[in-house]
Amino acid sequence: MFSKSSLEMLDTVARLGSFTAAAEQLHKVPSAISYGVRQVEQELDVILFRRLPRKVELTSAGELFIEEARLLLRQMEEVKAQTKRAAHGWQKTLKLTLDNVVKLEKMKPMIEAFYEKFEFAELQINMEVFNGSWEAIAQGRADIVIGATSAIPVGGDFEVRDMGRLDWAFVMSPSHPCVREQSLTEAFVSQYPAICLDDTSSVLPKRHTGHYASQRRLLLPNWYSAIECLKNGVGVGYMPRHIAMPLIESGELVEKILPDDKPLSQCCLVWRKDDNHKLIEWMVDYLGSSQQLHQDWLEY
């Protein structure tokens, strides 16, 4: 409805309170400024400025208009800057998914480094469980996934960096009947619900934490709820060792050894191949080598 130059002219008049002073700053004659203001007022059918002997003042309608005009000018500049950045491969948002098995201690320094580096960009962080992480990258809901587990169940234009193996601990409440058993058997353990995180995938086959075939599961959305159920003796289950060890050391949970081989999850960093998205490239470089990834996100 109004050009950028006309909004800038009105802003200058409002700041300086004078057609003459605005004309000097904009390198125009005062009559051109007066005419430009009058044209906008006629378009709006509203008086924006009161003409006084030596100055002009905003009317109440003018104050509202100038406030909105300044907002529009800022938005125009941002659109211009975003367009230029996008043309050079700098997107506005980086979508990052964390698999629920990873440690969260490195989130704070990662976020701080990102926001210090990029004044224009935002992080969108989501959390998924098991195949839900792969689904996020396959469906474009994530640019990067930290801690995707097990074999790659989907095809796509993405790259993978090994993060090493996630170790699991089989835990329960100190008051749970399993604690009193010298040697746990499948038959004994299967009497009690297996505390499992519910895979967040909706299309891919769901995977769950290790449990016996005849054991009923209690499916939960995250480790926070799973820990509460384990501490309250609702069931037993496997938990990533980096999450379990502080609870074991404090006596809130007890680790027991099962006769079967415990699950070992191979984890990886996954990212979309996109030469026109430099935020992905920066984040992958920031997260570092396989050894660094394992230490930062999986190791106790």
Short mmCIF file of all heavy atoms in Angstrom, two decimals, residues 218-265:
data_model
loop_
_atom_site.label_atom_id
_atom_site.label_comp_id
_atom_site.label_asym_id
_atom_site.label_seq_id
_atom_site.Cartn_x
_atom_site.Cartn_y
_atom_site.Cartn_z
N LEU A 218 5.17 -51.77 29.97
CA LEU A 218 4.55 -50.50 30.33
C LEU A 218 5.25 -49.45 29.47
O LEU A 218 6.43 -49.15 29.67
CB LEU A 218 4.74 -50.19 31.82
CG LEU A 218 4.28 -48.80 32.27
CD1 LEU A 218 2.79 -48.59 31.98
CD2 LEU A 218 4.57 -48.59 33.76
N LEU A 219 4.53 -48.92 28.48
CA LEU A 219 5.12 -47.99 27.51
C LEU A 219 4.97 -46.56 28.01
O LEU A 219 3.86 -46.11 28.31
CB LEU A 219 4.44 -48.15 26.15
CG LEU A 219 4.58 -49.55 25.52
CD1 LEU A 219 3.75 -49.65 24.25
CD2 LEU A 219 6.04 -49.86 25.23
N LEU A 220 6.08 -45.85 28.06
CA LEU A 220 6.11 -44.49 28.62
C LEU A 220 6.76 -43.53 27.62
O LEU A 220 7.53 -43.94 26.76
CB LEU A 220 6.88 -44.49 29.94
CG LEU A 220 6.20 -45.32 31.05
CD1 LEU A 220 7.18 -45.64 32.15
CD2 LEU A 220 5.00 -44.56 31.60
N PRO A 221 6.48 -42.23 27.76
CA PRO A 221 6.93 -41.28 26.74
C PRO A 221 8.38 -40.82 26.86
O PRO A 221 8.97 -40.36 25.89
CB PRO A 221 5.99 -40.09 26.92
CG PRO A 221 5.60 -40.15 28.36
CD PRO A 221 5.55 -41.61 28.71
N ASN A 222 8.98 -40.91 28.06
CA ASN A 222 10.33 -40.39 28.25
C ASN A 222 10.96 -41.00 29.51
O ASN A 222 10.29 -41.70 30.27
CB ASN A 222 10.32 -38.86 28.36
CG ASN A 222 9.32 -38.39 29.39
OD1 ASN A 222 9.27 -38.85 30.52
ND2 ASN A 222 8.46 -37.44 28.99
N TRP A 223 12.25 -40.71 29.72
CA TRP A 223 12.94 -41.30 30.87
C TRP A 223 12.49 -40.70 32.19
O TRP A 223 12.60 -41.34 33.23
CB TRP A 223 14.46 -41.14 30.70
CG TRP A 223 15.00 -42.00 29.62
CD1 TRP A 223 15.58 -41.61 28.44
CD2 TRP A 223 14.97 -43.43 29.57
NE1 TRP A 223 15.90 -42.70 27.68
CE2 TRP A 223 15.55 -43.83 28.35
CE3 TRP A 223 14.51 -44.43 30.44
CZ2 TRP A 223 15.68 -45.16 27.97
CZ3 TRP A 223 14.64 -45.75 30.07
CH2 TRP A 223 15.22 -46.12 28.86
N TYR A 224 11.97 -39.49 32.17
CA TYR A 224 11.49 -38.89 33.42
C TYR A 224 10.35 -39.71 34.01
O TYR A 224 10.35 -40.03 35.21
CB TYR A 224 11.04 -37.44 33.17
CG TYR A 224 12.12 -36.60 32.54
CD1 TYR A 224 12.02 -36.20 31.21
CD2 TYR A 224 13.24 -36.19 33.27
CE1 TYR A 224 13.02 -35.44 30.62
CE2 TYR A 224 14.23 -35.44 32.69
CZ TYR A 224 14.12 -35.06 31.36
OH TYR A 224 15.11 -34.31 30.78
N SER A 225 9.39 -40.06 33.18
CA SER A 225 8.27 -40.87 33.66
C SER A 225 8.72 -42.31 33.94
O SER A 225 8.26 -42.94 34.89
CB SER A 225 7.13 -40.87 32.65
OG SER A 225 7.58 -41.28 31.37
N ALA A 226 9.65 -42.81 33.13
CA ALA A 226 10.16 -44.17 33.34
C ALA A 226 10.89 -44.28 34.68
O ALA A 226 10.71 -45.26 35.42
CB ALA A 226 11.08 -44.57 32.20
N ILE A 227 11.68 -43.27 35.01
CA ILE A 227 12.42 -43.28 36.28
C ILE A 227 11.46 -43.30 37.47
O ILE A 227 11.67 -44.03 38.45
CB ILE A 227 13.37 -42.07 36.35
CG1 ILE A 227 14.56 -42.29 35.40
CG2 ILE A 227 13.86 -41.83 37.78
CD1 ILE A 227 15.39 -41.04 35.18
N GLU A 228 10.40 -42.51 37.40
CA GLU A 228 9.43 -42.49 38.49
C GLU A 228 8.80 -43.86 38.68
O GLU A 228 8.63 -44.32 39.82
CB GLU A 228 8.36 -41.43 38.22
CG GLU A 228 8.82 -40.00 38.40
CD GLU A 228 9.41 -39.76 39.78
OE1 GLU A 228 8.72 -40.04 40.78
OE2 GLU A 228 10.57 -39.31 39.86
N CYS A 229 8.46 -44.51 37.58
CA CYS A 229 7.85 -45.84 37.68
C CYS A 229 8.84 -46.86 38.23
O CYS A 229 8.47 -47.72 39.05
CB CYS A 229 7.34 -46.30 36.31
SG CYS A 229 5.87 -45.40 35.76
N LEU A 230 10.09 -46.78 37.82
CA LEU A 230 11.11 -47.70 38.33
C LEU A 230 11.36 -47.47 39.82
O LEU A 230 11.43 -48.42 40.61
CB LEU A 230 12.41 -47.53 37.54
CG LEU A 230 12.39 -48.11 36.13
CD1 LEU A 230 13.52 -47.54 35.29
CD2 LEU A 230 12.50 -49.64 36.17
N LYS A 231 11.48 -46.21 40.21
CA LYS A 231 11.73 -45.89 41.63
C LYS A 231 10.57 -46.33 42.51
O LYS A 231 10.76 -46.70 43.67
CB LYS A 231 11.97 -44.38 41.79
CG LYS A 231 13.36 -43.95 41.36
CD LYS A 231 13.51 -42.46 41.11
CE LYS A 231 12.98 -41.59 42.19
NZ LYS A 231 13.29 -40.15 41.95
N ASN A 232 9.35 -46.30 41.96
CA ASN A 232 8.17 -46.69 42.73
C ASN A 232 7.86 -48.18 42.66
O ASN A 232 6.83 -48.63 43.17
CB ASN A 232 6.95 -45.90 42.25
CG ASN A 232 7.06 -44.42 42.60
OD1 ASN A 232 7.60 -44.06 43.63
ND2 ASN A 232 6.56 -43.57 41.72
N GLY A 233 8.75 -48.94 42.01
CA GLY A 233 8.58 -50.39 41.98
C GLY A 233 7.50 -50.89 41.06
O GLY A 233 7.05 -52.04 41.19
N VAL A 234 7.08 -50.06 40.10
CA VAL A 234 6.01 -50.46 39.19
C VAL A 234 6.47 -51.56 38.24
O VAL A 234 5.69 -52.42 37.83
CB VAL A 234 5.50 -49.24 38.39
CG1 VAL A 234 4.52 -49.66 37.30
CG2 VAL A 234 4.85 -48.24 39.32
N GLY A 235 7.75 -51.55 37.90
CA GLY A 235 8.29 -52.55 36.98
C GLY A 235 9.79 -52.52 36.99
O GLY A 235 10.42 -51.90 37.86
N VAL A 236 10.40 -53.22 36.03
CA VAL A 236 11.85 -53.29 35.91
C VAL A 236 12.19 -52.96 34.46
O VAL A 236 11.33 -53.01 33.58
CB VAL A 236 12.37 -54.69 36.26
CG1 VAL A 236 12.07 -55.02 37.71
CG2 VAL A 236 11.77 -55.76 35.34
N GLY A 237 13.45 -52.61 34.21
CA GLY A 237 13.78 -52.34 32.82
C GLY A 237 15.20 -51.88 32.60
O GLY A 237 15.95 -51.60 33.55
N TYR A 238 15.55 -51.83 31.33
CA TYR A 238 16.86 -51.33 30.92
C TYR A 238 16.82 -49.81 30.77
O TYR A 238 15.83 -49.23 30.30
CB TYR A 238 17.27 -51.95 29.58
CG TYR A 238 17.80 -53.35 29.70
CD1 TYR A 238 16.99 -54.44 29.38
CD2 TYR A 238 19.11 -53.58 30.12
CE1 TYR A 238 17.48 -55.75 29.48
CE2 TYR A 238 19.60 -54.88 30.22
CZ TYR A 238 18.80 -55.95 29.90
OH TYR A 238 19.28 -57.24 30.00
N MET A 239 17.93 -49.17 31.16
CA MET A 239 18.05 -47.72 31.08
C MET A 239 19.47 -47.40 30.62
O MET A 239 20.41 -48.10 30.99
CB MET A 239 17.82 -47.11 32.47
CG MET A 239 17.84 -45.59 32.51
SD MET A 239 17.68 -44.97 34.21
CE MET A 239 16.03 -45.56 34.61
N PRO A 240 19.66 -46.37 29.78
CA PRO A 240 21.02 -45.98 29.41
C PRO A 240 21.88 -45.78 30.66
O PRO A 240 21.44 -45.14 31.62
CB PRO A 240 20.82 -44.67 28.65
CG PRO A 240 19.45 -44.79 28.07
CD PRO A 240 18.64 -45.52 29.10
N ARG A 241 23.09 -46.31 30.62
CA ARG A 241 23.93 -46.29 31.83
C ARG A 241 24.20 -44.88 32.32
O ARG A 241 24.26 -44.63 33.53
CB ARG A 241 25.24 -47.03 31.56
CG ARG A 241 26.13 -47.14 32.81
CD ARG A 241 27.19 -48.19 32.65
NE ARG A 241 26.63 -49.52 32.54
CZ ARG A 241 26.20 -50.26 33.58
NH1 ARG A 241 26.27 -49.77 34.82
NH2 ARG A 241 25.71 -51.46 33.40
N HIS A 242 24.36 -43.92 31.41
CA HIS A 242 24.66 -42.56 31.86
C HIS A 242 23.48 -41.95 32.63
O HIS A 242 23.67 -41.06 33.46
CB HIS A 242 25.05 -41.66 30.68
CG HIS A 242 23.96 -41.42 29.68
ND1 HIS A 242 22.96 -40.51 29.85
CD2 HIS A 242 23.72 -42.00 28.47
CE1 HIS A 242 22.16 -40.51 28.81
NE2 HIS A 242 22.60 -41.40 27.95
N ILE A 243 22.26 -42.42 32.37
CA ILE A 243 21.09 -41.97 33.13
C ILE A 243 20.96 -42.76 34.42
O ILE A 243 20.60 -42.22 35.48
CB ILE A 243 19.80 -42.11 32.30
CG1 ILE A 243 19.88 -41.27 31.02
CG2 ILE A 243 18.56 -41.71 33.10
CD1 ILE A 243 18.68 -41.43 30.09
N ALA A 244 21.26 -44.06 34.35
CA ALA A 244 21.04 -44.95 35.49
C ALA A 244 22.06 -44.77 36.62
O ALA A 244 21.70 -44.86 37.79
CB ALA A 244 21.06 -46.41 35.01
N MET A 245 23.33 -44.52 36.28
CA MET A 245 24.38 -44.57 37.29
C MET A 245 24.20 -43.58 38.45
O MET A 245 24.39 -43.96 39.61
CB MET A 245 25.75 -44.38 36.64
CG MET A 245 26.26 -45.61 35.91
SD MET A 245 26.25 -47.13 36.92
CE MET A 245 27.44 -46.70 38.20
N PRO A 246 23.82 -42.34 38.22
CA PRO A 246 23.60 -41.45 39.37
C PRO A 246 22.50 -41.98 40.31
O PRO A 246 22.59 -41.83 41.54
CB PRO A 246 23.17 -40.13 38.73
CG PRO A 246 23.78 -40.17 37.36
CD PRO A 246 23.70 -41.61 36.94
N LEU A 247 21.47 -42.63 39.76
CA LEU A 247 20.39 -43.18 40.56
C LEU A 247 20.83 -44.44 41.29
O LEU A 247 20.40 -44.70 42.43
CB LEU A 247 19.18 -43.49 39.67
CG LEU A 247 18.57 -42.27 38.96
CD1 LEU A 247 17.65 -42.71 37.83
CD2 LEU A 247 17.82 -41.40 39.95
N ILE A 248 21.70 -45.21 40.67
CA ILE A 248 22.26 -46.40 41.32
C ILE A 248 23.18 -45.98 42.46
O ILE A 248 23.12 -46.52 43.57
CB ILE A 248 23.02 -47.28 40.29
CG1 ILE A 248 22.04 -47.86 39.26
CG2 ILE A 248 23.77 -48.41 40.98
CD1 ILE A 248 22.72 -48.50 38.07
N GLU A 249 24.03 -45.00 42.20
CA GLU A 249 24.99 -44.54 43.21
C GLU A 249 24.29 -43.89 44.40
O GLU A 249 24.78 -43.96 45.53
CB GLU A 249 25.99 -43.58 42.57
CG GLU A 249 26.95 -44.28 41.60
CD GLU A 249 27.79 -43.31 40.80
OE1 GLU A 249 27.51 -42.08 40.88
OE2 GLU A 249 28.71 -43.75 40.09
N SER A 250 23.13 -43.27 44.15
CA SER A 250 22.39 -42.64 45.26
C SER A 250 21.51 -43.64 46.01
O SER A 250 20.91 -43.29 47.03
CB SER A 250 21.52 -41.50 44.72
OG SER A 250 20.47 -42.01 43.90
N GLY A 251 21.41 -44.87 45.50
CA GLY A 251 20.59 -45.89 46.14
C GLY A 251 19.12 -45.85 45.75
O GLY A 251 18.32 -46.62 46.27
N GLU A 252 18.76 -44.98 44.82
CA GLU A 252 17.35 -44.89 44.40
C GLU A 252 16.96 -46.06 43.50
O GLU A 252 15.80 -46.44 43.43
CB GLU A 252 17.11 -43.57 43.68
CG GLU A 252 17.26 -42.35 44.57
CD GLU A 252 17.18 -41.07 43.77
OE1 GLU A 252 18.23 -40.59 43.29
OE2 GLU A 252 16.06 -40.54 43.62
N LEU A 253 17.94 -46.62 42.78
CA LEU A 253 17.72 -47.79 41.95
C LEU A 253 18.83 -48.81 42.21
O LEU A 253 19.91 -48.45 42.69
CB LEU A 253 17.71 -47.42 40.46
CG LEU A 253 16.55 -46.55 39.96
CD1 LEU A 253 16.74 -46.24 38.47
CD2 LEU A 253 15.20 -47.21 40.18
N VAL A 254 18.55 -50.05 41.86
CA VAL A 254 19.53 -51.14 42.02
C VAL A 254 19.74 -51.78 40.65
O VAL A 254 18.78 -52.02 39.91
CB VAL A 254 19.02 -52.20 43.02
CG1 VAL A 254 19.95 -53.41 43.05
CG2 VAL A 254 18.89 -51.59 44.41
N GLU A 255 21.00 -52.04 40.31
CA GLU A 255 21.29 -52.75 39.06
C GLU A 255 21.44 -54.24 39.33
O GLU A 255 22.09 -54.64 40.30
CB GLU A 255 22.57 -52.22 38.42
CG GLU A 255 22.89 -52.92 37.10
CD GLU A 255 24.15 -52.40 36.41
OE1 GLU A 255 24.90 -51.63 37.05
OE2 GLU A 255 24.38 -52.78 35.24
N LYS A 256 20.84 -55.04 38.49
CA LYS A 256 20.98 -56.49 38.55
C LYS A 256 21.44 -56.99 37.19
O LYS A 256 21.20 -56.35 36.16
CB LYS A 256 19.65 -57.16 38.93
CG LYS A 256 19.14 -56.80 40.31
CD LYS A 256 19.92 -57.52 41.41
CE LYS A 256 19.47 -58.97 41.53
NZ LYS A 256 20.11 -59.65 42.67
N ILE A 257 22.07 -58.14 37.19
CA ILE A 257 22.59 -58.71 35.96
C ILE A 257 21.69 -59.86 35.52
O ILE A 257 21.39 -60.76 36.31
CB ILE A 257 24.03 -59.24 36.14
CG1 ILE A 257 24.93 -58.11 36.68
CG2 ILE A 257 24.57 -59.78 34.82
CD1 ILE A 257 25.03 -56.91 35.79
N LEU A 258 21.26 -59.81 34.29
CA LEU A 258 20.46 -60.90 33.73
C LEU A 258 21.38 -61.92 33.06
O LEU A 258 22.47 -61.56 32.59
CB LEU A 258 19.46 -60.36 32.71
CG LEU A 258 18.33 -59.47 33.26
CD1 LEU A 258 17.43 -59.00 32.13
CD2 LEU A 258 17.51 -60.22 34.30
N PRO A 259 20.95 -63.19 32.99
CA PRO A 259 21.79 -64.21 32.36
C PRO A 259 21.95 -63.99 30.86
O PRO A 259 22.91 -64.46 30.25
CB PRO A 259 21.05 -65.52 32.65
CG PRO A 259 19.64 -65.11 32.92
CD PRO A 259 19.71 -63.78 33.56
N ASP A 260 21.03 -63.27 30.24
CA ASP A 260 21.10 -63.03 28.80
C ASP A 260 22.03 -61.86 28.50
O ASP A 260 22.33 -61.05 29.37
CB ASP A 260 19.71 -62.70 28.25
CG ASP A 260 18.65 -63.58 28.85
OD1 ASP A 260 18.23 -63.30 30.00
OD2 ASP A 260 18.24 -64.56 28.21
N ASP A 261 22.47 -61.78 27.27
CA ASP A 261 23.27 -60.64 26.85
C ASP A 261 22.41 -59.38 26.88
O ASP A 261 21.29 -59.37 26.38
CB ASP A 261 23.80 -60.85 25.43
CG ASP A 261 24.85 -61.96 25.37
OD1 ASP A 261 25.48 -62.22 26.41
OD2 ASP A 261 25.00 -62.56 24.29
N LYS A 262 22.94 -58.32 27.48
CA LYS A 262 22.16 -57.09 27.54
C LYS A 262 22.18 -56.40 26.18
O LYS A 262 23.09 -56.62 25.37
CB LYS A 262 22.72 -56.16 28.61
CG LYS A 262 24.13 -55.66 28.35
CD LYS A 262 24.58 -54.79 29.51
CE LYS A 262 26.03 -54.35 29.32
NZ LYS A 262 26.49 -53.53 30.45
N PRO A 263 21.16 -55.58 25.91
CA PRO A 263 21.13 -54.90 24.61
C PRO A 263 22.28 -53.91 24.47
O PRO A 263 22.70 -53.29 25.44
CB PRO A 263 19.78 -54.17 24.63
CG PRO A 263 19.44 -54.03 26.07
CD PRO A 263 20.03 -55.22 26.76
N LEU A 264 22.83 -53.82 23.30
CA LEU A 264 23.83 -52.81 22.98
C LEU A 264 23.34 -52.05 21.76
O LEU A 264 23.06 -52.65 20.72
CB LEU A 264 25.19 -53.44 22.69
CG LEU A 264 25.94 -54.04 23.89
CD1 LEU A 264 27.17 -54.80 23.42
CD2 LEU A 264 26.36 -52.96 24.87
N SER A 265 23.21 -50.77 21.90
CA SER A 265 22.68 -49.96 20.80
C SER A 265 23.80 -49.19 20.12
O SER A 265 24.52 -48.43 20.78
CB SER A 265 21.64 -48.97 21.34
OG SER A 265 20.54 -49.65 21.89
#
